[in-house]
Amino acid sequence: MAQPKYLSGDVAAINEFIDKFDVFLFDCDGVLWSGDHVFEGVVETLELLRSRGKKTVFVTNNSTKSRPEYKEKFEGLGIPADEDEIFGSAYSSAIYISRILKLAPPKNKVFVVGEAGIEKELTTENIPFIGGTDPSFRRDITLEDFNGLADGSLLDPEVGCVLVGLDWHINYLKLSHAYQYLRRGAVFLATNVDSTFPMNHNFFPGAGSISVPLVHMTGQEPVALGKPSQAMMDAIEGKFHLDRARTCMVGDRLNTDIKFGIEGRLGGTLAVLTGVSKKEDWEAADAVAVPSFYVDRLSDLRAAAQ
């Protein structure tokens, strides 16, 4: 398998790379920032690309924030971005449920394992839901809960789907409800299946770590609606009317970002070394994906302005 071209420090190669594409899809965590720390030179790099007429789209698997909340985060970190440029896994999930899954009453309610970002995006698509941030699910399980879940009296008969994302308050009670709904035939969806996510220059359990217990319990794999799901790529293409051959995916993870771009038949993929995957990962014989290009950090593209 061909190895990626290293761009850092090569002005001619960077300019050639930028000229190949009209649209850049950016992962956020591990590419633009880690937690609330913006990587040096990111704002200037985005400004450079936009000044050359490039379209920038921010594609994130983090489901804890809605698009308006992400816009606030961008602004708070000093990164100019329009809400229309942001495409998150919570939004992708809501679009999938409302426009593709089209759950019909009376089984049209979603049981959410996740945070407010999912709830807000479901609300924008007029999708009824329970669970999520409801305080009544943020507690220890009781004997009464076991009894009510076992006989079904605690379950909402209108739930037809279980949607699992990153949940800061995951517990036995939520998993038990989700499992019982899945046992009764609910559709199993996940905002994404990332095993970890980068935060504060370290790594923490990702949304995939929340859904794995349910996979183990049921033997089912969820339909994942974040990267590398091509359902997400199709939705992005439909929204932005992009030419895939003139589009580049920029990310830090081989198994989500880079795989997303390759399976989506994009014109190229760019890996950055500020997040999860490292050079040795794509040099391995069993590499899950190999990028077309790589840089040490996104800001290395600023050399094109020299």
Side-chain angles (χ1 to χ4, degrees):
M1 192 176 292
Q3 289 300 301
K5 182 174 179 60
Y6 180 55
L7 299 179
S8 295
D10 188 335
V11 176
I14 291 171
N15 276 298
E16 183 182 347
F17 162 75
I18 293 174
D19 289 342
K20 284 172 62 73
F21 305 107
D22 300 322
V23 180
F24 289 87
L25 307 180
F26 290 95
D27 178 43
C28 297
D29 294 310
V31 176
L32 307 180
W33 61 62
S34 176
D36 288 325
H37 168 71
V38 181
F39 296 130
E40 187 269 333
V42 161
V43 173
E44 294 81 2
T45 305
L46 295 174
E47 288 175 351
L48 168 67
L49 294 174
R50 288 164 173 160
S51 74
R52 293 197 175 188
K54 310 302 180 182
K55 173 72 174 174
T56 56
V57 180
F58 304 102
V59 185
T60 174
N61 273 2
N62 189 334
S63 63
T64 62
K65 289 182 173 63
S66 63
R67 285 165 299 152
E69 288 172 320
Y70 252 105
K71 178 174 168 54
E72 288 182 14
K73 174 163 184 169
F74 273 87
E75 290 175 345
L77 294 175
I79 304 173
D82 293 331
E83 186 177 317
D84 190 57
E85 292 180 308
I86 301 166
F87 206 99
S89 63
Y91 178 59
S92 180
S93 299
I95 293 296
Y96 181 86
I97 293 169
S98 68
R99 305 182 194 183
I100 297 174
L101 200 57
K102 295 179 180 177
L103 294 171
K107 288 278 190 179
N108 63 333
K109 197 174 287 187
V110 177
F111 181 75
V112 175
V113 179
E115 295 296 324
I118 295 175
E119 296 175 331
K120 290 174 181 176
E121 296 292 10
L122 292 178
T123 299
T124 64
E125 290 294 314
N126 299 309
I127 300 167
F129 62 86
I130 60 170
T133 62
D134 183 342
S136 66
F137 288 94
R138 291 181 173 178
R139 59 177 177 79
D140 291 341
I141 196 167
T142 66
L143 181 59
E144 289 74 20
D145 293 323
F146 279 111
N147 292 332
L149 288 169
D151 65 22
S153 61
L154 277 182
L155 299 175
D156 187 329
E158 296 182 356
V159 169
C161 173
V162 172
L163 174 60
V164 183
L166 190 55
D167 191 320
W168 309 129
H169 305 86
I170 188 63
N171 60 28
Y172 195 88
L173 182 65
K174 289 184 183 182
L175 288 173
S176 297
H177 275 81
Y179 175 54
Q180 294 302 326
Y181 286 124
L182 293 173
R183 283 192 66 198
R184 288 162 170 79
V187 177
F188 189 9
L189 304 179
T191 59
N192 67 92
V193 291
D194 291 10
S195 57
T196 60
F197 79 100
M199 183 82 166
N200 292 66
H201 308 289
N202 208 316
F203 298 98
F204 292 86
S209 300
I210 308 297
S211 60
V212 157
L214 293 168
V215 172
H216 192 57
M217 284 179 243
T218 63
Q220 289 180 255
E221 291 287 341
V223 174
L225 298 161
K227 297 168 293 182
S229 165
Q230 290 308 299
M232 190 183 212
M233 183 68 81
D234 292 342
I236 292 170
E237 180 183 42
K239 178 173 181 177
F240 297 104
H241 306 290
L242 53 82
D243 176 358
R244 294 196 188 205
R246 297 281 300 173
T247 300
C248 180
M249 179 68 212
V250 183
D252 68 304
R253 280 180 181 265
L254 298 185
N255 66 338
T256 53
D257 304 321
I258 304 306
K259 187 178 180 182
F260 183 60
I262 293 171
E263 293 187 349
R265 304 180 310 283
L266 298 186
T269 53
L270 174 69
V272 299
L273 298 179
T274 47
V276 175
S277 297
K278 302 303 177 189
K279 187 179 177 183
E280 53 266 28
D281 295 323
W282 65 69
E283 291 177 340
D286 60 348
V288 67
V290 178
S292 318
F293 307 90
Y294 77 101
V295 288
D296 294 326
R297 61 194 64 81
L298 183 63
S299 60
D300 289 349
L301 296 182
R302 287 183 300 171
Q306 295 175 359

